[in-house]
Amino acid sequence: MEKFLLKNIENPDSADINEYVKAGGYKNLSKVLESGPKEVVEEVKKSGLRGRGGAGFPTAMKWSFAMADPKFPKYLMCNADEGEPGTFKDRPILEKNPHLLIEGMVISGYALGSEYGYIYLRGEYPEANDILNAAIRQAYEKNYLGDNINGKGVRFHLSVHQGAGAYICGEETALIESIEGKKGQPRNKPPFPVNVGAWSMPTIVNNVETLSNLPYIIEIGGEAYSRIGSSECPGPKLFSVSGHVERPGVYELPMGISLKDIIYNHAGGIKDNAKLKAVIPGGISTPVLPPDSIDCAMDFVSMPKAGSMLGSGAVIVMDDSVCMVRVAYRALKFFEHESCGKCVPCREGTDWLRKVLERIEYGKGTEGDIELLSDIAEIMSGKTFCPLGDGAAGVVTAMIKHFRDEFEEHIKNRKCSLADSY
Amino acid sequence: MFNETVLKEIEEIKAKYPERRSALLPSLYIAQREFGWLSHEAMECVSKALNVPEAMVRGTASFYSMYKHKPVGRHVIQLCTNISCMILGAEKLVDFIGTRYEVQPGGTSPDNRFSLVIMECIGACGTAPAMLVNTDFHENLSEKRIEEILDKYK
Ligand SMILES: Cc1cc2nc3c(=O)[nH]c(=O)nc-3n(C[C@H](O)[C@H](O)[C@H](O)COP(=O)(O)O)c2cc1C
Ligand code: FES
């Protein structure tokens, strides 16, 4: 497939505006400024674009809610928090193709009637911070940002806001709290950010990859875009593949490609021809899949039917040297650490799950611990303030469902038989 | 108090937002740069520069793991041990760094050369195990690679 999101990234100067323009960059913005904002919205609607941040929400629908709100100014937030472990798909855009994102944001801002954009960038990406700031400066110099873009009287101002190491700030309402200078604790919904967001104004939060699709949609037209990949969630998708594969990395492939195809064809198969044990398909918040379930289409609609979720498209491949209790324990350590502490089921539940998993892994589990884990997970499910706690519960439930014998073995033998691997 | 240059830098940041409190996270980074860590004095300076109550400054700062609430060594090693890094050996690297450089997670070596922080995924999972030293990424780590890399940070 021809690359668009990762186009030209082999060019060492790909982040430079001159290289970007040479490769056809910013021409889609110029095109849009001729035709008008309504046409952009129309094309996005036709494209069927769904958000790439994890939830797969239809972008045109989110936009229409914000546009229907009469309040101004409206703010456009690019979610570059990329905190879901296993995910590194936005990083090549941010570091190698920053102007694609900037062009996408200006086009989106123009369509939405928003004149102010912010990129909420995770603190763990210091290089991307420098690159984005340099790219933004260049875009101002060349008049692709500012008060009179392309001499058309269109305004859009953009800046980077650096996060400081809190996973929960990737959740859109926590992101907004954080940009307001507060702790990143999610807000109650409704009201939704599209009506009452940053500084109480309508706010559109979209992922880096989502916004970077805009120039492509304009270039080929919404209808042609809608024919790429899955019919229900079309377009190119970035998959970040890590773990025990021959060729880990970020792959731009059509949405709906089979997970098996990603692992065995694109990522070169299991490292050193080892035996596949498990795959986490969409970042560690998504339920694990056993080897016999990986022949599934990677899109937002098909993955739930296959027993997991597309999430951020972060594929983590594990061979049979990996202990699944250990993985569950490490995942829960993460969720416990990142729980924002606002709601009881998540704050207490993640802590409790982690404690039980820890004792099983270290040979101190007792009979009934597996049932206890399932109970805690069930109590948490659907009762947490935001999806973080739900995700944590789902991780444990799926681990027990597919690898119950490993949990039982730990408890029976009072040890982890793979402990030496770590 | 911050000097004039720093205050000017903060004023410029404030201008990017409709409300001054939004400049809090960036100002905390600046305070950390100026003082090395977020001491009481550092947070007081932020509070004054933004005219935001100190309790709010401290409350916000305490939430985020990249703000340092105690002094750190000359170089900060931020090693990821999340799943993609863990299954490729990151936990053994924690032990290795501990013995070789006398620094435990959350601590600083006696010669004040290194502090070690355990990170949750730094977005380098495709080249795991990975770490950041100060603001530089280092990937595909092994004990040998770590020695080669860290020897350059004096
Ligand atoms: C705990 C949690 C963490 C999240 N982290 C991210 C993230 O790092 N990046 C992201 O784009 N979306 C993240 N999201 C999803 C956002 O809340 C939001 O749905 C998304 O940014 C919307 O953009 P999109 O419509 O373009 O997908 C997270 C959600 C939750 C619940
Ligand atoms: S898991 Fe270590 S960098 Fe992502």
Side-chain angles (χ1 to χ4, degrees), chain A residues 185-215:
Chain A
Q185 292 184 315
R187 291 178 180 174
N188 214 350
K189 294 193 257 192
F192 290 93
V194 284
N195 301 115
V196 183
W199 310 292
S200 304
M201 288 295 153
T203 302
I204 304 93
V205 183
N206 274 135
N207 172 260
V208 173
E209 188 187 344
T210 312
L211 293 164
S212 300
N213 268 283
L214 260 292

PDB file of all heavy atoms in Angstrom, chain A residues 185-215:
ATOM      1  N   GLN A 185      -7.508  14.699  36.500  1.00  0.00           N
ATOM      2  CA  GLN A 185      -8.598  13.801  36.901  1.00  0.00           C
ATOM      3  C   GLN A 185      -9.788  14.010  35.976  1.00  0.00           C
ATOM      4  O   GLN A 185     -10.204  15.141  35.739  1.00  0.00           O
ATOM      5  CB  GLN A 185      -8.988  14.061  38.353  1.00  0.00           C
ATOM      6  CG  GLN A 185      -7.871  13.636  39.308  1.00  0.00           C
ATOM      7  CD  GLN A 185      -8.244  13.774  40.764  1.00  0.00           C
ATOM      8  OE1 GLN A 185      -8.811  14.781  41.164  1.00  0.00           O
ATOM      9  NE2 GLN A 185      -7.909  12.761  41.557  1.00  0.00           N
ATOM     10  N   PRO A 186     -10.343  12.905  35.439  1.00  0.00           N
ATOM     11  CA  PRO A 186     -11.426  13.033  34.461  1.00  0.00           C
ATOM     12  C   PRO A 186     -12.638  13.788  35.024  1.00  0.00           C
ATOM     13  O   PRO A 186     -12.894  13.777  36.223  1.00  0.00           O
ATOM     14  CB  PRO A 186     -11.799  11.581  34.153  1.00  0.00           C
ATOM     15  CG  PRO A 186     -10.591  10.795  34.468  1.00  0.00           C
ATOM     16  CD  PRO A 186      -9.941  11.490  35.631  1.00  0.00           C
ATOM     17  N   ARG A 187     -13.359  14.425  34.125  1.00  0.00           N
ATOM     18  CA  ARG A 187     -14.576  15.148  34.494  1.00  0.00           C
ATOM     19  C   ARG A 187     -15.793  14.271  34.246  1.00  0.00           C
ATOM     20  O   ARG A 187     -15.755  13.352  33.433  1.00  0.00           O
ATOM     21  CB  ARG A 187     -14.726  16.393  33.621  1.00  0.00           C
ATOM     22  CG  ARG A 187     -13.722  17.453  33.880  1.00  0.00           C
ATOM     23  CD  ARG A 187     -13.969  18.610  32.913  1.00  0.00           C
ATOM     24  NE  ARG A 187     -12.997  19.671  33.141  1.00  0.00           N
ATOM     25  CZ  ARG A 187     -12.904  20.746  32.369  1.00  0.00           C
ATOM     26  NH1 ARG A 187     -13.716  20.888  31.322  1.00  0.00           N
ATOM     27  NH2 ARG A 187     -12.006  21.671  32.623  1.00  0.00           N
ATOM     28  N   ASN A 188     -16.856  14.640  34.915  1.00  0.00           N
ATOM     29  CA  ASN A 188     -18.124  13.974  34.667  1.00  0.00           C
ATOM     30  C   ASN A 188     -18.629  14.341  33.265  1.00  0.00           C
ATOM     31  O   ASN A 188     -18.438  15.452  32.811  1.00  0.00           O
ATOM     32  CB  ASN A 188     -19.139  14.452  35.710  1.00  0.00           C
ATOM     33  CG  ASN A 188     -20.089  13.358  36.088  1.00  0.00           C
ATOM     34  OD1 ASN A 188     -20.115  12.298  35.450  1.00  0.00           O
ATOM     35  ND2 ASN A 188     -20.885  13.595  37.113  1.00  0.00           N
ATOM     36  N   LYS A 189     -19.254  13.376  32.581  1.00  0.00           N
ATOM     37  CA  LYS A 189     -19.871  13.665  31.278  1.00  0.00           C
ATOM     38  C   LYS A 189     -21.320  13.217  31.347  1.00  0.00           C
ATOM     39  O   LYS A 189     -21.550  12.116  31.854  1.00  0.00           O
ATOM     40  CB  LYS A 189     -19.148  12.897  30.168  1.00  0.00           C
ATOM     41  CG  LYS A 189     -17.712  13.340  29.946  1.00  0.00           C
ATOM     42  CD  LYS A 189     -17.160  12.783  28.638  1.00  0.00           C
ATOM     43  CE  LYS A 189     -16.237  11.610  28.878  1.00  0.00           C
ATOM     44  NZ  LYS A 189     -15.447  11.208  27.694  1.00  0.00           N
ATOM     45  N   PRO A 190     -22.300  13.899  30.802  1.00  0.00           N
ATOM     46  CA  PRO A 190     -22.203  15.247  30.239  1.00  0.00           C
ATOM     47  C   PRO A 190     -21.961  16.295  31.339  1.00  0.00           C
ATOM     48  O   PRO A 190     -22.144  15.954  32.487  1.00  0.00           O
ATOM     49  CB  PRO A 190     -23.566  15.422  29.556  1.00  0.00           C
ATOM     50  CG  PRO A 190     -24.498  14.506  30.300  1.00  0.00           C
ATOM     51  CD  PRO A 190     -23.652  13.380  30.802  1.00  0.00           C
ATOM     52  N   PRO A 191     -21.664  17.528  30.956  1.00  0.00           N
ATOM     53  CA  PRO A 191     -21.502  18.026  29.585  1.00  0.00           C
ATOM     54  C   PRO A 191     -20.243  17.468  28.936  1.00  0.00           C
ATOM     55  O   PRO A 191     -19.245  17.260  29.590  1.00  0.00           O
ATOM     56  CB  PRO A 191     -21.386  19.534  29.779  1.00  0.00           C
ATOM     57  CG  PRO A 191     -20.806  19.695  31.150  1.00  0.00           C
ATOM     58  CD  PRO A 191     -21.350  18.564  31.954  1.00  0.00           C
ATOM     59  N   PHE A 192     -20.320  17.235  27.643  1.00  0.00           N
ATOM     60  CA  PHE A 192     -19.182  16.730  26.894  1.00  0.00           C
ATOM     61  C   PHE A 192     -18.254  17.879  26.498  1.00  0.00           C
ATOM     62  O   PHE A 192     -18.713  19.016  26.376  1.00  0.00           O
ATOM     63  CB  PHE A 192     -19.676  15.982  25.652  1.00  0.00           C
ATOM     64  CG  PHE A 192     -20.364  14.685  26.015  1.00  0.00           C
ATOM     65  CD1 PHE A 192     -21.733  14.632  26.200  1.00  0.00           C
ATOM     66  CD2 PHE A 192     -19.621  13.523  26.206  1.00  0.00           C
ATOM     67  CE1 PHE A 192     -22.371  13.447  26.565  1.00  0.00           C
ATOM     68  CE2 PHE A 192     -20.236  12.339  26.575  1.00  0.00           C
ATOM     69  CZ  PHE A 192     -21.618  12.299  26.754  1.00  0.00           C
ATOM     70  N   PRO A 193     -16.983  17.552  26.287  1.00  0.00           N
ATOM     71  CA  PRO A 193     -16.025  18.601  25.917  1.00  0.00           C
ATOM     72  C   PRO A 193     -16.440  19.399  24.675  1.00  0.00           C
ATOM     73  O   PRO A 193     -16.118  20.582  24.580  1.00  0.00           O
ATOM     74  CB  PRO A 193     -14.732  17.828  25.631  1.00  0.00           C
ATOM     75  CG  PRO A 193     -14.861  16.552  26.364  1.00  0.00           C
ATOM     76  CD  PRO A 193     -16.317  16.240  26.427  1.00  0.00           C
ATOM     77  N   VAL A 194     -17.158  18.768  23.762  1.00  0.00           N
ATOM     78  CA  VAL A 194     -17.576  19.506  22.561  1.00  0.00           C
ATOM     79  C   VAL A 194     -18.485  20.681  22.909  1.00  0.00           C
ATOM     80  O   VAL A 194     -18.618  21.624  22.122  1.00  0.00           O
ATOM     81  CB  VAL A 194     -18.309  18.596  21.542  1.00  0.00           C
ATOM     82  CG1 VAL A 194     -17.310  17.711  20.808  1.00  0.00           C
ATOM     83  CG2 VAL A 194     -19.387  17.757  22.203  1.00  0.00           C
ATOM     84  N   ASN A 195     -19.099  20.651  24.110  1.00  0.00           N
ATOM     85  CA  ASN A 195     -19.900  21.789  24.561  1.00  0.00           C
ATOM     86  C   ASN A 195     -19.195  22.592  25.654  1.00  0.00           C
ATOM     87  O   ASN A 195     -19.110  23.813  25.567  1.00  0.00           O
ATOM     88  CB  ASN A 195     -21.268  21.329  25.067  1.00  0.00           C
ATOM     89  CG  ASN A 195     -22.048  20.583  24.003  1.00  0.00           C
ATOM     90  OD1 ASN A 195     -22.333  19.399  24.140  1.00  0.00           O
ATOM     91  ND2 ASN A 195     -22.351  21.272  22.913  1.00  0.00           N
ATOM     92  N   VAL A 196     -18.731  21.878  26.671  1.00  0.00           N
ATOM     93  CA  VAL A 196     -18.044  22.558  27.776  1.00  0.00           C
ATOM     94  C   VAL A 196     -16.697  21.864  27.975  1.00  0.00           C
ATOM     95  O   VAL A 196     -16.619  20.834  28.626  1.00  0.00           O
ATOM     96  CB  VAL A 196     -18.870  22.502  29.080  1.00  0.00           C
ATOM     97  CG1 VAL A 196     -18.171  23.291  30.187  1.00  0.00           C
ATOM     98  CG2 VAL A 196     -20.273  23.033  28.852  1.00  0.00           C
ATOM     99  N   GLY A 197     -15.677  22.411  27.345  1.00  0.00           N
ATOM    100  CA  GLY A 197     -14.363  21.773  27.412  1.00  0.00           C
ATOM    101  C   GLY A 197     -13.343  22.658  28.083  1.00  0.00           C
ATOM    102  O   GLY A 197     -13.569  23.141  29.196  1.00  0.00           O
ATOM    103  N   ALA A 198     -12.235  22.903  27.400  1.00  0.00           N
ATOM    104  CA  ALA A 198     -11.183  23.730  27.976  1.00  0.00           C
ATOM    105  C   ALA A 198     -11.701  25.147  28.210  1.00  0.00           C
ATOM    106  O   ALA A 198     -12.352  25.719  27.333  1.00  0.00           O
ATOM    107  CB  ALA A 198      -9.978  23.756  27.044  1.00  0.00           C
ATOM    108  N   TRP A 199     -11.405  25.692  29.377  1.00  0.00           N
ATOM    109  CA  TRP A 199     -11.823  27.041  29.759  1.00  0.00           C
ATOM    110  C   TRP A 199     -13.324  27.254  29.492  1.00  0.00           C
ATOM    111  O   TRP A 199     -13.761  28.311  29.058  1.00  0.00           O
ATOM    112  CB  TRP A 199     -10.960  28.086  29.044  1.00  0.00           C
ATOM    113  CG  TRP A 199      -9.490  27.773  29.207  1.00  0.00           C
ATOM    114  CD1 TRP A 199      -8.771  27.836  30.371  1.00  0.00           C
ATOM    115  CD2 TRP A 199      -8.577  27.306  28.208  1.00  0.00           C
ATOM    116  NE1 TRP A 199      -7.476  27.430  30.140  1.00  0.00           N
ATOM    117  CE2 TRP A 199      -7.318  27.106  28.830  1.00  0.00           C
ATOM    118  CE3 TRP A 199      -8.693  27.031  26.838  1.00  0.00           C
ATOM    119  CZ2 TRP A 199      -6.199  26.651  28.136  1.00  0.00           C
ATOM    120  CZ3 TRP A 199      -7.578  26.575  26.151  1.00  0.00           C
ATOM    121  CH2 TRP A 199      -6.352  26.397  26.788  1.00  0.00           C
ATOM    122  N   SER A 200     -14.067  26.162  29.709  1.00  0.00           N
ATOM    123  CA  SER A 200     -15.541  26.134  29.587  1.00  0.00           C
ATOM    124  C   SER A 200     -16.069  26.343  28.171  1.00  0.00           C
ATOM    125  O   SER A 200     -17.252  26.606  27.975  1.00  0.00           O
ATOM    126  CB  SER A 200     -16.196  27.158  30.520  1.00  0.00           C
ATOM    127  OG  SER A 200     -15.781  26.923  31.834  1.00  0.00           O
ATOM    128  N   MET A 201     -15.208  26.251  27.198  1.00  0.00           N
ATOM    129  CA  MET A 201     -15.623  26.483  25.811  1.00  0.00           C
ATOM    130  C   MET A 201     -15.669  25.169  25.025  1.00  0.00           C
ATOM    131  O   MET A 201     -15.035  24.194  25.403  1.00  0.00           O
ATOM    132  CB  MET A 201     -14.626  27.449  25.152  1.00  0.00           C
ATOM    133  CG  MET A 201     -14.762  28.855  25.649  1.00  0.00           C
ATOM    134  SD  MET A 201     -16.384  29.483  25.165  1.00  0.00           S
ATOM    135  CE  MET A 201     -16.660  30.678  26.434  1.00  0.00           C
ATOM    136  N   PRO A 202     -16.409  25.156  23.913  1.00  0.00           N
ATOM    137  CA  PRO A 202     -16.450  23.939  23.092  1.00  0.00           C
ATOM    138  C   PRO A 202     -15.033  23.520  22.685  1.00  0.00           C
ATOM    139  O   PRO A 202     -14.259  24.344  22.203  1.00  0.00           O
ATOM    140  CB  PRO A 202     -17.252  24.375  21.862  1.00  0.00           C
ATOM    141  CG  PRO A 202     -18.078  25.518  22.325  1.00  0.00           C
ATOM    142  CD  PRO A 202     -17.257  26.224  23.369  1.00  0.00           C
ATOM    143  N   THR A 203     -14.733  22.258  22.901  1.00  0.00           N
ATOM    144  CA  THR A 203     -13.371  21.771  22.680  1.00  0.00           C
ATOM    145  C   THR A 203     -13.412  20.428  21.960  1.00  0.00           C
ATOM    146  O   THR A 203     -14.134  19.525  22.368  1.00  0.00           O
ATOM    147  CB  THR A 203     -12.648  21.620  24.040  1.00  0.00           C
ATOM    148  OG1 THR A 203     -12.649  22.889  24.694  1.00  0.00           O
ATOM    149  CG2 THR A 203     -11.224  21.140  23.863  1.00  0.00           C
ATOM    150  N   ILE A 204     -12.656  20.349  20.885  1.00  0.00           N
ATOM    151  CA  ILE A 204     -12.605  19.115  20.105  1.00  0.00           C
ATOM    152  C   ILE A 204     -11.270  18.458  20.388  1.00  0.00           C
ATOM    153  O   ILE A 204     -10.227  19.050  20.135  1.00  0.00           O
ATOM    154  CB  ILE A 204     -12.725  19.409  18.590  1.00  0.00           C
ATOM    155  CG1 ILE A 204     -13.993  20.204  18.295  1.00  0.00           C
ATOM    156  CG2 ILE A 204     -12.720  18.108  17.774  1.00  0.00           C
ATOM    157  CD1 ILE A 204     -13.815  21.700  18.283  1.00  0.00           C
ATOM    158  N   VAL A 205     -11.311  17.244  20.939  1.00  0.00           N
ATOM    159  CA  VAL A 205     -10.068  16.508  21.183  1.00  0.00           C
ATOM    160  C   VAL A 205      -9.952  15.404  20.138  1.00  0.00           C
ATOM    161  O   VAL A 205     -10.853  14.577  20.001  1.00  0.00           O
ATOM    162  CB  VAL A 205     -10.039  15.877  22.595  1.00  0.00           C
ATOM    163  CG1 VAL A 205      -8.696  15.186  22.845  1.00  0.00           C
ATOM    164  CG2 VAL A 205     -10.318  16.917  23.667  1.00  0.00           C
ATOM    165  N   ASN A 206      -8.874  15.430  19.391  1.00  0.00           N
ATOM    166  CA  ASN A 206      -8.614  14.377  18.401  1.00  0.00           C
ATOM    167  C   ASN A 206      -7.176  13.908  18.511  1.00  0.00           C
ATOM    168  O   ASN A 206      -6.279  14.682  18.819  1.00  0.00           O
ATOM    169  CB  ASN A 206      -8.863  14.884  16.968  1.00  0.00           C
ATOM    170  CG  ASN A 206     -10.313  14.757  16.530  1.00  0.00           C
ATOM    171  OD1 ASN A 206     -10.887  15.678  15.957  1.00  0.00           O
ATOM    172  ND2 ASN A 206     -10.919  13.617  16.791  1.00  0.00           N
ATOM    173  N   ASN A 207      -7.000  12.645  18.217  1.00  0.00           N
ATOM    174  CA  ASN A 207      -5.681  12.022  18.252  1.00  0.00           C
ATOM    175  C   ASN A 207      -4.776  12.516  17.109  1.00  0.00           C
ATOM    176  O   ASN A 207      -5.262  12.960  16.068  1.00  0.00           O
ATOM    177  CB  ASN A 207      -5.895  10.497  18.165  1.00  0.00           C
ATOM    178  CG  ASN A 207      -4.612   9.740  17.994  1.00  0.00           C
ATOM    179  OD1 ASN A 207      -4.250   9.326  16.889  1.00  0.00           O
ATOM    180  ND2 ASN A 207      -3.897   9.552  19.066  1.00  0.00           N
ATOM    181  N   VAL A 208      -3.479  12.420  17.299  1.00  0.00           N
ATOM    182  CA  VAL A 208      -2.482  12.812  16.288  1.00  0.00           C
ATOM    183  C   VAL A 208      -2.772  12.165  14.929  1.00  0.00           C
ATOM    184  O   VAL A 208      -2.816  12.841  13.894  1.00  0.00           O
ATOM    185  CB  VAL A 208      -1.064  12.359  16.746  1.00  0.00           C
ATOM    186  CG1 VAL A 208      -0.034  12.584  15.646  1.00  0.00           C
ATOM    187  CG2 VAL A 208      -0.648  13.059  18.022  1.00  0.00           C
ATOM    188  N   GLU A 209      -2.968  10.849  14.973  1.00  0.00           N
ATOM    189  CA  GLU A 209      -3.161  10.111  13.716  1.00  0.00           C
ATOM    190  C   GLU A 209      -4.464  10.523  13.038  1.00  0.00           C
ATOM    191  O   GLU A 209      -4.520  10.648  11.808  1.00  0.00           O
ATOM    192  CB  GLU A 209      -3.137   8.600  14.013  1.00  0.00           C
ATOM    193  CG  GLU A 209      -3.142   7.720  12.783  1.00  0.00           C
ATOM    194  CD  GLU A 209      -3.290   6.234  13.137  1.00  0.00           C
ATOM    195  OE1 GLU A 209      -3.086   5.857  14.318  1.00  0.00           O
ATOM    196  OE2 GLU A 209      -3.636   5.459  12.235  1.00  0.00           O
ATOM    197  N   THR A 210      -5.510  10.732  13.832  1.00  0.00           N
ATOM    198  CA  THR A 210      -6.796  11.168  13.279  1.00  0.00           C
ATOM    199  C   THR A 210      -6.606  12.457  12.478  1.00  0.00           C
ATOM    200  O   THR A 210      -6.998  12.555  11.307  1.00  0.00           O
ATOM    201  CB  THR A 210      -7.812  11.439  14.407  1.00  0.00           C
ATOM    202  OG1 THR A 210      -7.805  10.355  15.326  1.00  0.00           O
ATOM    203  CG2 THR A 210      -9.206  11.650  13.857  1.00  0.00           C
ATOM    204  N   LEU A 211      -5.986  13.449  13.121  1.00  0.00           N
ATOM    205  CA  LEU A 211      -5.817  14.756  12.484  1.00  0.00           C
ATOM    206  C   LEU A 211      -4.886  14.670  11.275  1.00  0.00           C
ATOM    207  O   LEU A 211      -5.054  15.408  10.299  1.00  0.00           O
ATOM    208  CB  LEU A 211      -5.290  15.765  13.509  1.00  0.00           C
ATOM    209  CG  LEU A 211      -6.282  16.102  14.635  1.00  0.00           C
ATOM    210  CD1 LEU A 211      -5.569  16.788  15.804  1.00  0.00           C
ATOM    211  CD2 LEU A 211      -7.417  16.988  14.111  1.00  0.00           C
ATOM    212  N   SER A 212      -3.938  13.753  11.329  1.00  0.00           N
ATOM    213  CA  SER A 212      -2.988  13.608  10.225  1.00  0.00           C
ATOM    214  C   SER A 212      -3.623  12.960   9.002  1.00  0.00           C
ATOM    215  O   SER A 212      -3.026  12.944   7.924  1.00  0.00           O
ATOM    216  CB  SER A 212      -1.769  12.792  10.677  1.00  0.00           C
ATOM    217  OG  SER A 212      -1.136  13.451  11.748  1.00  0.00           O
ATOM    218  N   ASN A 213      -4.807  12.396   9.157  1.00  0.00           N
ATOM    219  CA  ASN A 213      -5.530  11.839   8.019  1.00  0.00           C
ATOM    220  C   ASN A 213      -6.229  12.911   7.190  1.00  0.00           C
ATOM    221  O   ASN A 213      -6.657  12.648   6.069  1.00  0.00           O
ATOM    222  CB  ASN A 213      -6.579  10.827   8.495  1.00  0.00           C
ATOM    223  CG  ASN A 213      -6.042   9.407   8.525  1.00  0.00           C
ATOM    224  OD1 ASN A 213      -5.919   8.761   7.495  1.00  0.00           O
ATOM    225  ND2 ASN A 213      -5.690   8.936   9.702  1.00  0.00           N
ATOM    226  N   LEU A 214      -6.392  14.107   7.763  1.00  0.00           N
ATOM    227  CA  LEU A 214      -7.165  15.142   7.076  1.00  0.00           C
ATOM    228  C   LEU A 214      -6.618  15.525   5.707  1.00  0.00           C
ATOM    229  O   LEU A 214      -7.360  15.546   4.722  1.00  0.00           O
ATOM    230  CB  LEU A 214      -7.297  16.370   7.990  1.00  0.00           C
ATOM    231  CG  LEU A 214      -8.626  16.489   8.736  1.00  0.00           C
ATOM    232  CD1 LEU A 214      -9.757  16.763   7.744  1.00  0.00           C
ATOM    233  CD2 LEU A 214      -8.970  15.254   9.537  1.00  0.00           C
ATOM    234  N   PRO A 215      -5.289  15.794   5.615  1.00  0.00           N
ATOM    235  CA  PRO A 215      -4.771  16.144   4.289  1.00  0.00           C
ATOM    236  C   PRO A 215      -5.027  15.042   3.254  1.00  0.00           C
ATOM    237  O   PRO A 215      -5.308  15.337   2.085  1.00  0.00           O
ATOM    238  CB  PRO A 215      -3.261  16.324   4.545  1.00  0.00           C
ATOM    239  CG  PRO A 215      -3.171  16.705   5.989  1.00  0.00           C
ATOM    240  CD  PRO A 215      -4.259  15.938   6.667  1.00  0.00           C
TER     241      PRO A 215
END
